[in-house]
Amino acid sequence: MAPRKSKKKAPSFRKLLKTSNIKIENKLKNRQFKQQSIAKKHRKEQKKLKQALNNAATRTPLPLERYKKRPEDEEDEEEFEETLPVDMMEEDDLEQMKAMAQKASFLTRDLSSSEPVHARKRKQENVMDKYEKVPRLMQKEQEKELIHLLPIKDKTGIIPQTMEKPVVKKAEKENEDEGDGDGAEEVNAPKPLPLLTTQELVVLRRKRLEERKVCIAALGSSILSDPSANIKKLKELRSMLVELDPYVAVTVRKLVMVSLMEIFKDIVPSYRIRPLTEAEKSTKVKKETQQLREFEEGLVSQYKFYLENLEQTVKDWKQMKKKKSDVVSLKSYKGLAEVAVKCLCELLVALPHFNFHNNIIVMIVPLMNHDCKKISEMSCEAVRKLFKQDKVGQASLGMVKVISGLVKSRNYEVKPEVLKALLCLRVKEVEVKKDADDIAPKKRFMNFKEKRKHLSRMQRKWKKAEEKLEKELLEAEATECKEKKLKLHTETLNIVFLTYFRILKKAQKSILLPCVLEGLAKFAHLINVEFFDDLLIVLHKLVESGDLSYRESLHCIQTAFHVLSGQGDVLNIDPLKFYTHLYKTLLRLHAGTANDDMIIVLQCLDVMLTKRRKQVSVQRALAFIKRLTTLSLQVLPNSTVGILATNRVLMHTFPKSDILLDNESQGSGIYLPELDEPEYCNPQNTSLWELHTLQRHYHPIVRKFAAHLIVGAPSEGSGALNVDLSRKSATDLFEDYSIKGMTFNPPVATPSSKKKEKFTIGDALLDSDLKKQIDSHLEATSIPSDLNFAAHFRKAFI
């Protein structure tokens, strides 16, 4: 019978080749795994053996215990020694036995007794066996350590290769270690200061300082010449911030701080450097791009370390803790901290777009409230500069957030200068509620399908050219997005008003209140209409309370009318109480310190009377004109000029005010100057007699304005003012003719010199003999001794 055929198909050559490759790979893997496990086991055994040898080498055998003998045992021992056959032993053996008896304890005990040496131990244990098991300290050759090299592969398989590590003797190692230690001590240990005279110390310090200056200049010039190639030299220059030479440490650190600050201001790019992602790092780029990336990465890291050094310098000064390794004295910390703060302020203003700007803000803002006046002024000045030059609003927003947090965390107990800095914000408009026109979708460009559907071929061609031109014009503008700018300004003002309202609500008696009122007066036209009613109520309560100073009450009035002159026009509110309060307190101004408040008064009058002329009655306008003219007699010349300029504007705004230039009274009643209500003091029954007094004022501009107002303030003719004076506002005239320098402004003209007749001195007498006789009498120095005037008086009458 034929053998049964297998139903399985014979595998193809491709399949056999594939399976054979898999088998070969598996065999190689198994072989490698086996070799690795064997090598691992071998290493473990070697490690255990080395550990056992080290333990045996370091372990010392314990000496055998000795026991004091009892007197009974001593007697038995003597009897036993007598019974020993000493005569039969040789002298050498006897001496050896005696020596062994002194060394080993088991020979000194009673050999006849069968008691074990240690009663507590087991009977099987033997002291000698244990002692013998302890390994002897023998001189061995140190086992050589093997270095595993790359293996060799041949037909049989992988052959591992090893090499003996060269052995260095211990004595050489110790010598090398001692040498290294001495070198490290020499590097780290400061050199002892030589004993020199004062003059020699000054010369030595000057020499070392010149060396450091040359080094700083060389490093700085090399960095500035090629920043991308010499970026590593920044680290070398920054290492000089920890100068250890006590003679020049403070000066060198200051110079390095300032030099690095100027270098960073020059080489920092005009954009923010972001960290690279993992995908960007893994991709291959051009050589130039790679160099640029390395430069940016090095620049950011060195800039970060530099800022950390400056921050640490300021912290060390605040805590007044001297480091052990520092050679700078505690007295020098303040100077270093001032230079560090100055560098931070410069970087804050110069690099608002670069990395770590928010970190600089966080460092600078708390220093605005510092007790040191110089550091506080530097910080406040830097913040004001930043606010003035920030056109976009990103840096201002970050600064305002930190200031608001500082004021809140200190429970509103900060210096007024912190809030005064907010007055320099460049915020002129904010987002308001959008109308239907603003909500409507903006015009967009037509796509290709719309053009093809609605336009002809020629029209599509013209449309394409028009759209291209519009896009180019938008790109050429290169201005910041207006929407982004408005959004940032709106958020900034919201934080500012939140801070102001918190102080008005919780700290009305704080020293920050004048700054808050001044800030509200400046930004009042940007406040949301929803807050108007509550804000006016709070301001009126503050004015009526009487706790405010005169300047603070003026700021309250100014804020209220700024609110009403902007979006507040839609509100039906009559601020009669604010008019009354200003009218009542106008005469408090004088030529002393209160003269500085006159500019606020002029601003209030402009908002209250000129801009709201439709809501102001003629009686109220006449009362203010009369009181202001009276006030002009008791203030400084620049204030008088400002008041007369305001009166001129009011006389043009209210033409019926010319009745104050008439001598005859109009209507019933008499003028009541002591009444505090401007509506009921009968101002129409008086005249501006003060102008005649001002016509004789020593200041020429005051005389011009007084003469101009007496004739009715004409715009043309002989009584009109010059163009320079007529076009300027009252506040500008107040500033132009200020006398803060304690000089006449304008200067007093020198009187014209008159030619006088000159007389020549010559001989007055024609007779020369008579002249000589008179001269001799005049030159005589003899004085009569008898000066009895009474006798001569009697003789004259007799």
Side-chain angles (χ1 to χ4, degrees), residues 594-760:
N595 188 72
D596 296 334
D597 300 334
M598 179 56 71
I599 190 168
I600 307 174
V601 173
L602 296 176
Q603 292 171 357
C604 290
L605 291 170
D606 182 45
V607 178
M608 295 168 68
L609 299 174
T610 308
K611 293 183 179 178
R612 291 176 59 87
R613 53 184 174 271
K614 294 182 179 179
Q615 289 89 359
V616 177
S617 62
V618 178
Q619 295 289 328
R620 192 181 298 176
L622 293 175
F624 271 99
I625 292 173
K626 175 59 181 176
R627 179 146 291 194
L628 286 172
T629 312
T630 306
L631 177 63
S632 63
L633 297 174
Q634 63 185 37
V635 291
L636 292 179
N638 59 333
S639 300
T640 304
V641 171
I643 289 172
L644 294 179
T646 303
N647 281 349
R648 175 178 177 272
V649 174
L650 291 176
M651 292 176 75
H652 289 170
T653 307
F654 301 95
K656 293 183 179 180
S657 59
D658 59 351
I659 60 174
L660 294 173
L661 303 174
D662 193 359
N663 292 333
E664 297 180 0
S665 61
Q666 300 286 335
S668 60
I670 58 173
Y671 174 60
L672 303 173
E674 70 280 359
L675 192 65
D676 294 334
E677 295 291 337
E679 299 282 350
Y680 310 110
C681 64
N682 300 324
Q684 72 278 3
N685 294 328
T686 185
S687 61
L688 302 178
W689 55 267
E690 296 89 355
L691 295 176
H692 290 279
T693 307
L694 293 174
Q695 273 188 315
R696 297 189 295 273
H697 200 278
Y698 72 90
H699 200 278
I701 307 301
V702 175
R703 293 198 299 268
K704 285 184 180 180
F705 268 99
H708 173 68
L709 293 176
I710 281 178
V711 295
S715 301
E716 297 177 353
S718 58
L721 287 174
N722 298 333
V723 178
D724 296 337
L725 294 176
S726 61
R727 288 184 177 179
K728 288 185 178 180
S729 63
T731 53
D732 292 339
L733 290 169
F734 175 81
E735 294 290 344
D736 291 345
Y737 296 102
S738 175
I739 55 172
K740 287 184 179 179
M742 300 302 292
T743 56
F744 289 104
N745 187 11
V748 179
T750 55
S752 59
S753 59
K754 296 180 179 179
K755 292 183 179 180
K756 297 181 180 179
E757 296 179 359
K758 294 182 180 180
F759 298 93
T760 57

Side-chain angles (χ1 to χ4, degrees), residues 496-512:
V496 171
F497 286 140
L498 180 63
T499 306
Y500 286 165
F501 293 156
R502 278 176 180 165
I503 296 172
L504 282 177
K505 185 179 179 181
K506 298 181 180 180
Q508 291 187 356
K509 295 185 179 180
S510 172
I511 57 173
L512 302 176

Side-chain angles (χ1 to χ4, degrees), residues 78-104:
E78 288 175 2
E79 292 177 0
F80 178 73
E81 287 178 358
E82 290 175 359
T83 57
L84 287 173
V86 181
D87 300 335
M88 298 173 65
M89 297 177 65
E90 294 182 3
E91 293 180 0
D92 297 336
D93 296 338
L94 185 60
E95 289 177 1
Q96 189 176 0
M97 289 289 290
K98 286 181 180 178
M100 289 176 66
Q102 291 177 359
K103 291 181 181 178

Side-chain angles (χ1 to χ4, degrees), residues 362-374:
V362 173
M363 283 190 279
I364 290 294
V365 169
L367 297 176
M368 296 172 68
N369 193 42
H370 201 272
D371 296 332
C372 181
K373 186 178 179 182
K374 188 175 181 180

Side-chain angles (χ1 to χ4, degrees), residues 31-292:
R31 191 179 297 168
Q32 289 176 359
F33 179 73
K34 204 171 187 180
Q35 289 175 356
Q36 288 175 2
S37 60
I38 291 168
K40 191 174 181 182
K41 192 181 291 184
H42 180 68
R43 284 197 299 271
K44 281 185 179 179
E45 290 175 358
Q46 292 290 330
K47 189 176 180 182
K48 286 182 180 179
L49 185 61
K50 285 180 184 178
Q51 191 173 0
L53 289 172
N54 292 334
N55 292 339
T58 55
R59 184 175 165 189
T60 55
L62 297 172
L64 296 175
E65 298 179 1
R66 294 177 176 271
Y67 296 92
K68 292 183 179 180
K69 298 176 183 177
R70 300 176 186 176
E72 300 173 358
D73 298 338
E74 290 179 0
E75 293 176 2
D76 296 340
E77 189 176 348
E78 288 175 2
E79 292 177 0
F80 178 73
E81 287 178 358
E82 290 175 359
T83 57
L84 287 173
V86 181
D87 300 335
M88 298 173 65
M89 297 177 65
E90 294 182 3
E91 293 180 0
D92 297 336
D93 296 338
L94 185 60
E95 289 177 1
Q96 189 176 0
M97 289 289 290
K98 286 181 180 178
M100 289 176 66
Q102 291 177 359
K103 291 181 181 178
S105 63
F106 70 92
L107 293 174
T108 57
R109 70 183 180 87
D110 189 4
L111 295 176
S112 61
S113 63
S114 59
E115 268 184 49
V117 181
H118 302 289
R120 293 182 183 179
K121 292 190 176 182
R122 297 179 183 177
K123 295 180 180 180
Q124 288 82 8
E125 288 184 356
N126 194 355
V127 180
M128 285 301 296
D129 294 340
K130 274 195 169 185
Y131 188 75
E132 291 293 336
K133 286 179 182 178
V134 176
R136 269 61 169 178
L137 291 173
M138 299 175 68
Q139 288 185 352
K140 295 183 190 176
E141 292 185 1
Q142 190 175 0
E143 187 177 354
K144 296 179 180 179
E145 191 175 350
L146 298 177
I147 300 173
H148 295 279
L149 304 176
L150 291 172
I152 300 172
K153 186 177 181 181
D154 60 356
K155 294 179 180 179
T156 58
I158 298 172
I159 303 171
Q161 298 291 317
T162 57
M163 186 183 75
E164 294 180 358
K165 188 176 181 180
V167 181
V168 183
K169 293 182 180 180
K170 290 184 178 179
E172 294 178 2
K173 274 188 179 180
E174 289 176 0
N175 293 335
E176 287 179 5
D177 295 342
E178 288 176 4
D180 295 342
D182 295 341
E185 288 177 1
E186 288 176 3
V187 173
N188 295 329
K191 295 181 181 179
L193 301 178
L195 297 174
L196 301 172
T197 61
T198 307
Q199 188 176 2
E200 290 174 344
L201 286 173
V202 171
V203 174
L204 179 63
R205 181 184 182 278
R206 192 177 300 163
K207 182 181 177 182
R208 293 184 180 179
L209 190 58
E210 287 297 325
E211 293 175 357
R212 301 298 194 281
K213 285 182 179 179
V214 171
C215 181
I216 293 169
L219 290 171
S221 60
S222 63
I223 294 168
L224 292 175
S225 61
D226 191 359
S228 58
N230 299 321
I231 191 65
K232 291 183 179 179
K233 291 189 178 181
L234 272 175
K235 185 178 181 181
E236 187 178 349
L237 183 58
R238 191 175 54 81
S239 64
M240 297 180 72
L241 285 173
V242 288
E243 176 66 41
L244 297 177
D245 190 349
Y247 293 124
V248 295
V250 178
T251 309
V252 169
R253 291 184 185 185
K254 290 180 180 179
L255 291 174
V256 174
M257 285 180 191
V258 178
S259 302
L260 281 170
M261 181 259 295
E262 294 294 338
I263 289 171
F264 280 121
K265 284 169 65 176
D266 286 340
I267 67 174
V268 161
S270 59
Y271 55 87
R272 187 181 184 86
I273 299 173
R274 63 172 181 82
L276 297 174
T277 61
E278 294 296 332
E280 289 174 339
K281 290 179 181 178
S282 60
T283 55
K284 291 184 179 180
V285 293
K286 294 181 181 180
K287 187 178 179 181
E288 294 81 5
T289 309
Q290 186 63 28
Q291 289 178 354
L292 180 61

